[in-house]
Amino acid sequence: MNRSLKRRVGLWVRVSDTSQTTENQTRQLVEWIEGRGWEITETYDLTGVSAFRNAHGKILNEAKTAARANRFDTLVVWALDRLSRGGAEVLLRHVREFSEFGCDVISYQEAFTETISTSPEMRDIFLAVYGWVANMESKKISERTKAGMERARAGGKHVGRPKKKGVKKN
């Protein structure tokens, strides 16, 4: 992995709801990256892209391809759960793949990712814990969403996509 002072950075920002914006993440990350004298060479803005949809995986593969092509040597994420909420195994796989391409993954929110990148064993332990926590949070969000939808249905509200006009159900 590139340990030089001047890093070329792939910037990864994501919010899962289109009513949100990546503006705050981006502003703080750009200031943090530029304050270190690093250069942003690629930006991956996943506004409104769910971690469980094909679009997320497609963009993640594009980032891996760019890292493999040496277009950046460090992927900076706002938080590890922005990269994946698929659990410990999935997060570890993604970080290891970037590492195989000579690319560090550094999280702004989880500062340990920068300081322990030289110790793969310690990195893997921390990533496993954070991957598990992110996965549990995702499950809690899903449970709360489903409960809210059930409450709305019980109250007689339509839940889901708008009904198509002029189409009758048999």
Side-chain angles (χ1 to χ4, degrees):
M1 282 174 238
N2 187 334
R3 302 281 177 230
S4 66
L5 293 177
K6 180 72 170 183
R7 292 182 182 226
R8 290 170 298 113
V9 173
L11 177 63
W12 182 276
V13 291
R14 183 180 76 79
V15 291
S16 52
D17 189 327
T18 54
S19 68
Q20 300 171 329
T21 176
T22 58
E23 184 179 335
N24 290 336
Q25 289 179 25
T26 303
R27 183 183 49 77
Q28 286 185 315
L29 287 174
V30 167
E31 287 175 9
W32 186 75
I33 291 164
E34 290 177 351
R36 294 170 178 279
W38 300 349
E39 174 189 9
I40 299 170
T41 59
E42 304 280 329
T43 299
Y44 302 92
D45 186 329
L46 287 78
T47 301
V49 176
S50 170
F52 299 106
R53 303 225 191 273
N54 286 341
H56 182 272
K58 181 181 176 194
I59 297 168
L60 185 56
N61 285 335
E62 289 173 9
K64 289 177 184 176
T65 299
R68 186 182 306 120
N70 201 27
R71 296 202 318 246
F72 58 89
D73 54 48
T74 305
L75 182 70
V76 174
V77 300
W78 175 257
L80 291 171
D81 70 348
R82 303 292 78 198
L83 190 60
S84 174
R85 286 190 175 174
E89 186 176 334
V90 174
L91 182 60
L92 282 166
R93 184 180 69 234
H94 292 318
V95 172
R96 284 179 182 151
E97 286 175 3
F98 277 106
S99 181
E100 288 170 8
F101 306 143
C103 181
D104 289 323
V105 175
I106 296 176
S107 167
Y108 178 76
Q109 294 292 319
E110 292 94 13
F112 74 85
T113 58
E114 185 175 11
T115 58
I116 66 166
S117 61
T118 57
S119 172
E121 297 81 12
M122 289 301 295
R123 179 199 66 203
D124 288 357
I125 289 170
F126 283 109
L127 288 174
V129 170
Y130 274 84
W132 178 82
V133 169
N135 184 253
M136 291 299 103
E137 178 61 20
S138 180
K139 287 179 180 180
K140 287 179 186 177
I141 290 168
S142 178
E143 290 168 3
R144 289 191 301 262
T145 300
K146 288 176 184 175
M149 291 168 68
E150 282 301 315
R151 186 177 61 250
R153 279 190 196 101
K157 293 183 180 176
H158 173 74
V159 176
R161 293 184 179 171
K163 295 179 183 178
K164 291 186 178 181
K165 296 182 180 186
V167 177
K168 291 184 180 180
K169 282 189 169 181
N170 290 338

